Amino acid sequence: GVPYVWTSARVFQILGSDETTYLPRAIQCPTGVGAKKSVERGERGIYFLGRDGNLWRLQGSNAVNISDQGHYALFHGVTQNGIAPLNTAAAALATAAGAWHNNRLYFTYASGNASTPNAMLVIDERTETWYRDSRALRCLHYDRLGKMLVGSSGSTGKVWQLDSGTTDEGAGIAVTIQTRDE
């Protein structure tokens, strides 16, 4: 219920009760957003990829760097166990995307020298565990009506159902687009 504004330089919490009294207040975070599609609300806070290449969790007016928790190498340019790190070039950061579903943050990003997402990290908030998903998806979307998480593959153009709450098959699914005026 608290509005925030992300810029490339800072993150602001918006205080006030109507448009005549709104006041932006900078939160305690040393960076702005690096990928606007990475901003995603979870149960414990709002996750986002910072312009500094770190993964942050915003809780109230404080941001916590969670990329150092067991995955320092991934976010700080070190290949570990054969896993290429996040590409911290500005263009690669901008293509990162996140989606929240079933108490998990799905985070797709460009690794190594790639300029488009080619790897995915999944963070389970219940157990505080992180794991990699081998599907290289360019974007993620949670369909609230269908209660499913879908992603688009950059190499095949297919849409994949990632997690329906009971299965994680990665099977291709048909997509129906319904438009409406709002």
Side-chain angles (χ1 to χ4, degrees):
V2 177
Y4 293 91
V5 173
W6 276 263
T7 69
S8 61
R10 301 284 306 183
V11 180
F12 297 91
Q13 184 178 33
I14 305 301
L15 305 173
S17 57
D18 62 36
E19 62 273 3
T20 62
T21 62
Y22 286 150
L23 176 67
R25 183 181 79 183
I27 65 161
Q28 295 179 0
C29 183
T31 186
V33 70
K36 62 184 176 182
K37 293 180 185 175
S38 72
V39 179
E40 192 63 35
R41 184 174 56 94
E43 296 296 323
R44 295 185 182 176
I46 301 172
Y47 295 88
F48 68 98
L49 179 66
R51 191 165 176 81
D52 61 356
N54 288 312
L55 191 59
W56 294 85
R57 180 170 54 210
L58 176 63
Q59 298 170 305
S61 62
N62 295 315
V64 178
N65 180 353
I66 64 169
S67 56
D68 286 344
Q69 299 173 1
H71 280 42
Y72 181 87
L74 177 66
F75 291 94
H76 294 89
V78 179
T79 298
Q80 184 176 5
N81 300 324
I83 298 172
L86 174 78
N87 183 350
T88 55
L93 281 182
T95 63
W100 177 260
H101 177 61
N102 201 19
N103 288 319
R104 293 184 201 127
L105 174 69
Y106 293 78
F107 175 68
T108 183
Y109 61 95
S111 68
N113 294 323
S115 58
T116 59
N118 64 348
M120 187 162 47
L121 181 68
V122 182
I123 304 167
D124 190 324
E125 269 197 345
R126 291 170 293 201
T127 61
E128 289 289 323
T129 55
W130 301 43
Y131 59 93
R132 281 182 41 101
D133 189 313
S134 61
R135 292 171 285 201
L137 302 174
R138 294 188 95 165
C139 64
L140 299 167
H141 174 71
Y142 176 59
D143 177 3
R144 294 189 194 285
L145 295 175
K147 295 183 179 176
M148 72 175 87
L149 181 63
V150 295
S152 172
S153 171
S155 59
T156 65
K158 291 183 180 179
V159 175
W160 299 89
Q161 180 178 349
L162 292 171
D163 190 303
S164 66
T166 58
T167 184
D168 190 355
E169 298 176 8
I173 59 172
V175 177
T176 302
I177 298 175
Q178 178 182 358
T179 60
R180 63 177 185 243
D181 293 331
E182 297 193 67

